Amino acid sequence: MSLPQAAPPRPIPPFGDEHETLREAIRRFVANELRPHAQEWEDARWFPNTVFTRMAELGYLGLKYPEEYGGQGGDHVHDAVLAEELSRCGSGGLAAGIGAHIGIATPPIWKFGSDDQKRRFLAPAIGGEKIGALGISEPGAGSDVAGIRTLARRVEGGYLVNGSKTFITNGVRADFVVTAVKTTEEGGHQGLSFLLIEKGMEGFSVSKKLEKLGWHASDTAELAFQDVFVPEENLLGEENKGFYLIMANFQWERLAMALGAVGSMDAVLERTLAFAGERHAFGRPIAKHQAIRHKLAEMAVKLEASRSLTYHALRLFAGGQDALREVTEAKLLSQRSAYEVADEALQIHGGAGYMREYAIERVVRDTRLGPIGGGTDEVMREILGKQLGL
Ligand SMILES: Cc1cc2nc3c(=O)[nH]c(=O)nc-3n(C[C@H](O)[C@H](O)[C@H](O)COP(=O)(O)OP(=O)(O)OC[C@H]3O[C@@H](n4cnc5c(N)ncnc54)[C@H](O)[C@@H]3O)c2cc1C
């Protein structure tokens, strides 16, 4: 049985020929250097830091950053190619660890950091010498960011930080954590600031490496801060203006997650179409049974709807327009769709889908995080409700 075309012809704007050349190179890198290790790194609950150094060598950690800091001088559309293609590595945890470094930890330093901070943190992060994490969530506050309790008290020359963070991707390995703190206790949204907290600072420790349903290759940690002195020069952006930083960061994080979901669905559909064409039951390929054919059709619709919305949001975002509604819609639709597509793919694989060997069960476990991380589905709907004036 010949393989049907699952994907529309490329390039699809905002991507152009240059981006498709980059896509081919990244796809080759992912297929040759990441995917073969996916199972091993999932089992080890860790991927080696050499992944960062190798990606730095290839220029992939700094696609959107200026050459002045070691970047490639590209833009978000170049980074979008990477976000989409990384999901083909076959390990959500690996993609998440790299994604946290590139997509959420370094962007605020680029956008809000001083030149000194860019030289001390951004440049080595682009060079793969320092690994970053973003620490916002706490045991008592996730969706409700204003409710964080980690307190940074002003002292001579800097701040004294006390509190904890949880669910922090790259939390164990990070050389620096872009950390949300309260600088004004009663300030709510207006009392938030960001500090660059570095590995080795006295009183800063990893209190726990967390076990998870999926994303096994990534290290997700609980962090503790006990009278950690953070010098003034590590304040990122303005004091008490941290909420703007969070909001600015969310847009790209959510868009990158949507792109990852599109890449994941694309890969899963391609594999499932091939499987359904080869696997026979009752005298014909299972794809020739209407029930299976309809499942595949629905999966293709979910992929295409997510892709269209995500690329639309990306076009607006990359063009410098306000894309809050479109990014939120893309995040909401794509994350739930990626999980549903993975679950249907498992069903179509039958018993094989439940086995580790086919790696579909891992996609189901890994994609379950999408409707929770980077802002839950419920929070996305709240944002969209507000956009409707409700
Ligand atoms: C594997 C993993 C990696 C992560 N990585 C990071 C990271 O690197 N850095 C970081 O800072 N955080 C990280 N997170 C945290 C993540 O962003 C939060 O889990 C997420 O924002 C939800 O917060 P919460 O878990 O505290 O849930 P809660 O906010 O307690 O929500 C619990 C439930 O209540 C619902 N809810 C909350 N508010 C409302 C409302 N107003 N209306 C309706 N329903 C509501 C939620 O949607 C959810 O269903 C990670 C999480 C996981 C699981």
Side-chain angles (χ1 to χ4, degrees):
M1 186 176 157
S2 66
L3 246 187
Q5 267 297 323
R10 288 187 175 273
I12 309 169
F15 302 106
D17 290 338
E18 171 206 352
H19 302 104
E20 294 315 309
T21 308
L22 176 67
R23 186 185 300 281
E24 276 171 35
I26 296 177
R27 195 171 285 198
R28 251 195 325 273
F29 161 71
V30 169
N32 296 335
E33 300 188 41
L34 300 183
R35 195 171 172 89
H37 300 287
Q39 188 63 61
E40 174 196 340
W41 295 340
E42 284 280 305
D43 289 346
R45 300 291 199 266
W46 183 263
F47 67 90
N49 286 349
T50 48
V51 170
F52 288 101
T53 37
R54 175 67 180 139
M55 288 187 72
E57 214 173 86
L58 295 167
Y60 294 161
L61 299 186
L63 287 171
K64 65 180 175 301
Y65 296 130
E67 289 170 21
E68 191 187 348
Y69 299 107
Q72 299 297 303
D75 57 27
H76 280 100
V77 184
H78 295 93
D79 234 21
V81 175
L82 180 65
E84 197 176 335
E85 291 302 319
L86 264 184
S87 58
R88 290 180 176 268
C89 74
S91 157
L94 173 57
I98 300 165
H101 178 77
I102 303 174
I104 57 175
T106 52
I109 303 175
W110 176 38
K111 198 157 182 191
F112 298 94
S114 62
D115 184 57
D116 169 65
Q117 289 170 342
K118 287 177 188 166
R119 296 204 180 281
R120 285 165 56 217
F121 298 99
L122 181 63
I126 293 171
E129 296 137 33
K130 279 188 182 171
I131 297 167
L134 177 72
I136 299 177
S137 307
E138 297 187 356
S143 307
D144 182 12
V145 175
I148 66 161
R149 304 266 287 274
T150 297
L151 190 66
R153 197 164 48 81
R154 267 249 177 226
V155 291
E156 202 185 327
Y159 300 86
L160 213 52
V161 179
N162 281 286
S164 61
K165 296 286 167 190
T166 195
F167 308 150
I168 307 306
T169 305
N170 288 348
V172 177
R173 73 179 83 218
D175 295 293
F176 63 88
V177 182
V178 180
T179 312
V181 293
K182 268 275 166 76
T183 31
T184 306
E185 230 174 328
E186 318 73 34
H189 289 110
Q190 309 308 321
L192 292 172
S193 305
F194 272 84
L195 294 175
L196 290 154
I197 300 189
E198 301 174 64
K199 190 184 238 169
M201 282 180 167
E202 211 180 319
F204 170 36
S205 62
V206 176
S207 37
K208 201 195 266 179
K209 184 178 177 216
L210 301 161
E211 287 294 326
K212 313 180 287 291
L213 172 72
W215 282 23
H216 285 167
S218 77
D219 50 304
T220 310
E222 207 171 87
L223 308 175
F225 309 98
Q226 210 169 19
D227 287 333
V228 183
F229 174 74
V230 181
E232 198 143 17
E233 60 264 27
N234 282 26
L235 170 71
L236 183 62
E238 283 179 60
E239 196 177 273
N240 294 328
K241 293 281 190 316
F243 193 66
Y244 299 107
L245 186 151
I246 293 179
M247 289 300 115
N249 221 33
F250 266 148
Q251 293 304 299
W252 178 244
E253 174 179 14
R254 289 171 183 166
L255 202 39
M257 285 180 75
L259 287 154
V262 168
S264 163
M265 282 186 269
D266 204 21
V268 164
L269 181 59
E270 197 179 289
R271 283 169 60 195
T272 311
L273 279 169
F275 179 87
E278 284 158 23
R279 177 79 182 170
H280 281 64
F282 299 95
R284 49 192 159 138
I286 57 169
K288 292 291 180 192
H289 293 288
Q290 192 185 47
I292 301 294
R293 200 161 58 233
H294 286 190
K295 276 189 200 300
L296 289 161
E298 288 282 348
M299 289 159 73
V301 170
K302 282 177 181 159
L303 163 62
E304 271 325 304
S306 300
R307 181 164 20 222
S308 298
L309 197 45
T310 301
Y311 285 9
H312 173 56
L314 177 63
R315 280 189 290 274
L316 294 179
F317 181 86
Q321 293 181 56
D322 175 18
L324 173 66
R325 178 166 64 85
E326 291 79 2
V327 168
T328 309
E329 287 170 345
K331 202 276 181 183
L332 178 63
L333 178 70
S334 63
Q335 303 308 301
R336 183 56 64 180
S337 296
Y339 177 63
E340 288 168 357
V341 164
D343 190 46
E344 284 291 42
L346 192 153
Q347 187 67 19
I348 292 171
H349 278 74
Y354 203 72
M355 299 298 132
R356 249 177 55 153
E357 190 189 336
Y358 282 78
I360 294 281
E361 55 85 32
R362 193 194 303 150
V363 186
V364 177
R365 288 186 287 104
D366 285 350
T367 50
R368 188 60 188 87
L369 192 272
I372 299 169
T376 64
D377 278 5
E378 290 75 16
V379 169
M380 294 306 103
R381 292 191 191 102
E382 279 300 287
I383 297 172
L384 292 172
K386 281 198 190 115
Q387 294 274 310
L388 293 171
L390 302 171

